[in-house]
Amino acid sequence: MTLPEYIGTVFSAHYRRTPSVGHPQASRGSRIEEIDALRGFALFGIIIVNAPVIAGVDNPSTGADGTLADQIAVWLVTIFFSAKFYLLFAFLFGYSFTIQVPALTRNRDPTVLRFRRRLVGIFLLGLAHAVLFYPGDILITYSVLGSGLLILRAISIRCAIRTAAYLIVFLTVTFLSVGTYVLSLDQIPPDSAQILTAEATEAYLGSPYSVISMNGELYLRNLGSAAVYSLNVFSAFLVGFAAGRCGLFLNPSSGSRTADRVFLIGALIGVPGAIFVAACTYGSYGRDLYYIGQAVSVLTSPALSATYVCFVIRLRHTRYGGSILRTLGSAGKMSLTNYLAQSITLCVIFTGYGFGLYGKVGPAALCVGCFLFYLCQLSYSSWIMSRTRYGPAEAILRRITLGHKEFNLVRKSRNPASSAK
């Protein structure tokens, strides 16, 4: 039995206890605390990975130069953060899809129409985010790939897992082929990173107009690589979709032994693989082995992402786990707002929008600053969620999703004064 077939069998075993087409929680109307907590936890990884790009310290040579603290920081970020947390978010997107669209086989079901509007809203917010603040935006990718997930909404669990596995294998073979070709060259093509870094520094330290222009230019330059890595994102969508269909996380305590095994196996596979990727990126032969490292990353990063999932869901069984989950969950409920707020704040600090510290802060100091900002986000999110149901960006997206008429009906139905009339 192949690995895709084995994984499909495991999910199918869970699915046999869940006869509905959509997610079992969809009919209950309540949120799953572990899902919100995982989103809140993933926000920390997202800011750690995105901050170096916005701050102007996203240069592979930093891993070999700079202070010892900076070298340690870039290696740790590559090992434990890079390519792990965007997969976690993608997994959660696929999982949430089964909750948001419970009638997966009915083309004209209102929930399907609302989900299409939701994708449009995500695309518009992502476009504004990419042009104004961060050219590495993931929301546009989510909106495009979400359309593909909507088309495949009737796919079986086993087929979803198989397709995800085949996408990962295809992407791995592609990177290995490119890496082998690069190694066969007598001379590695000249690196244009230094020229691009100089252009970006001048632009990001200039006026807001130059910041926007550079964001647009970088986004267009990175469209090719974004398309390649979107295969990895879509594979995580499919795994999350399968997990949602079989009701994973509905009873975390029942699968505690399985979670412990996945945690250990994921760490044993993911950590050595990530160390190898860091060595290929920052080691003496970084440019020669970069694509080989990316192939290993595609194979092993999902394992470490799975380890993080198991770590978070097992927090409930620790002494302060319940409080930690609630705190993370508050941030997760407004993850879109927090994601955008991270980029906006970093842009104000490092670009011509504000203080202009682009390229002037080292990786170690940047990681510490990001951690402190993340703690502030946790505190702020808890305060906001204790007073309202949605963050600002979530409220905007909800209005787009429901449409003008539906939004007004929902608002009136929750207004005691209007219902009394």
Side-chain angles (χ1 to χ4, degrees):
M1 181 180 291
T2 63
L3 179 60
E5 290 174 341
Y6 172 75
I7 298 175
T9 302
V10 173
F11 273 94
S12 297
H14 287 281
Y15 182 52
R16 282 195 292 269
R17 297 191 297 269
T18 309
S20 61
V21 177
H23 189 279
Q25 193 75 6
S27 60
R28 301 183 186 182
S30 58
R31 302 184 69 102
I32 303 174
E33 189 173 26
E34 281 73 16
I35 294 298
D36 288 328
L38 282 168
R39 287 198 189 95
F41 175 71
L43 285 168
F44 177 55
I46 294 299
I47 191 173
I48 290 292
V49 173
N50 291 352
V53 181
I54 300 176
V57 296
D58 186 45
N59 190 337
S61 63
T62 311
D65 304 328
T67 65
L68 178 61
D70 287 339
Q71 294 179 45
I72 293 174
V74 294
W75 277 69
L76 290 179
V77 168
T78 301
I79 292 171
F80 294 105
F81 295 89
S82 297
K84 284 81 178 176
F85 285 88
Y86 82 85
L87 288 179
L88 178 54
F89 253 128
F91 169 85
L92 296 172
F93 184 93
Y95 189 99
S96 298
F97 174 82
T98 62
I99 301 176
Q100 296 163 359
V101 188
L104 298 175
T105 59
R106 293 159 55 188
N107 291 327
R108 294 186 176 276
D109 189 88
T111 56
V112 175
L113 299 177
R114 286 198 292 266
F115 189 78
R116 289 171 179 160
R117 290 198 293 262
R118 181 180 180 85
L119 292 178
V120 172
I122 292 175
F123 179 86
L124 294 176
L125 289 173
L127 183 62
H129 179 230
V131 173
L132 295 176
F133 304 109
Y134 178 54
D137 169 79
I138 197 64
L139 296 177
I140 297 177
T141 302
Y142 278 19
S143 65
V144 174
L145 296 181
S147 301
L149 194 60
L150 191 61
I151 294 172
L152 298 176
R153 59 187 179 273
I155 192 174
S156 67
I157 291 176
R158 182 171 296 185
C159 186
I161 293 297
R162 284 181 177 178
T163 304
Y166 294 150
L167 287 175
I168 292 174
V169 171
F170 173 78
L171 194 55
T172 301
V173 171
T174 301
F175 278 126
L176 283 176
S177 301
V178 175
T180 303
Y181 170 74
V182 170
L183 289 174
S184 68
L185 297 177
D186 295 331
Q187 183 178 1
I188 305 298
D191 188 6
S192 60
Q194 295 297 333
I195 299 176
L196 181 59
T197 299
E199 294 177 359
T201 300
E202 181 179 358
Y204 285 124
L205 291 178
S207 65
Y209 175 78
S210 68
V211 173
I212 294 173
S213 298
M214 179 53 65
N215 283 339
E217 180 181 346
L218 289 178
Y219 183 79
L220 293 177
R221 285 192 186 188
N222 294 330
L223 273 180
S225 61
V228 173
Y229 283 103
S230 67
L231 298 178
N232 213 16
V233 173
F234 194 68
S235 68
F237 275 14
L238 291 174
V239 175
F241 172 83
R245 288 279 297 274
C246 71
L248 197 68
F249 303 126
L250 284 185
N251 188 12
S253 59
S254 63
S256 58
R257 290 186 178 181
T258 302
D260 292 339
R261 291 195 198 100
V262 173
F263 178 91
L264 180 60
I265 295 173
L268 291 176
I269 295 174
V271 173
I275 292 174
F276 178 80
V277 173
C280 290
T281 305
Y282 303 117
S284 302
Y285 300 97
R287 291 187 59 204
D288 296 11
L289 298 178
Y290 175 78
Y291 291 104
I292 302 296
Q294 291 305 295
V296 174
S297 176
V298 170
L299 279 178
T300 61
S301 292
L304 202 51
S305 297
T307 296
Y308 294 154
V309 171
C310 295
F311 168 75
V312 172
I313 65 176
R314 293 292 286 151
L315 282 176
R316 184 176 297 280
H317 304 286
T318 62
R319 182 175 181 180
Y320 301 105
S323 299
I324 295 174
L325 285 177
R326 285 190 293 273
T327 301
L328 292 174
S330 296
K333 290 176 183 177
M334 49 184 293
S335 57
L336 179 59
T337 296
N338 283 320
Y339 171 67
L340 298 176
Q342 289 175 355
S343 298
I344 294 172
T345 303
L346 290 169
C347 279
V348 170
I349 295 173
F350 293 103
T351 71
Y353 285 139
F355 300 102
L357 297 180
Y358 189 87
K360 299 178 182 178
V361 177
L366 184 63
C367 287
V368 173
C370 288
F371 176 69
L372 295 176
F373 179 75
Y374 174 70
L375 293 180
C376 292
Q377 284 194 305
L378 292 180
S379 177
Y380 176 74
S381 299
S382 297
W383 182 78
I384 287 290
M385 288 295 99
S386 66
R387 288 162 173 76
T388 184
R389 296 184 61 187
Y390 307 103
E394 285 75 16
I396 294 174
L397 184 59
R398 180 173 174 79
R399 178 147 197 167
I400 296 174
T401 300
L402 294 177
H404 180 70
K405 293 182 179 179
E406 286 187 74
F407 180 82
N408 287 337
L409 288 174
V410 171
R411 185 177 59 179
K412 288 179 180 179
S413 65
R414 289 176 179 167
N415 187 340
S418 61
S419 60
K421 293 180 182 179

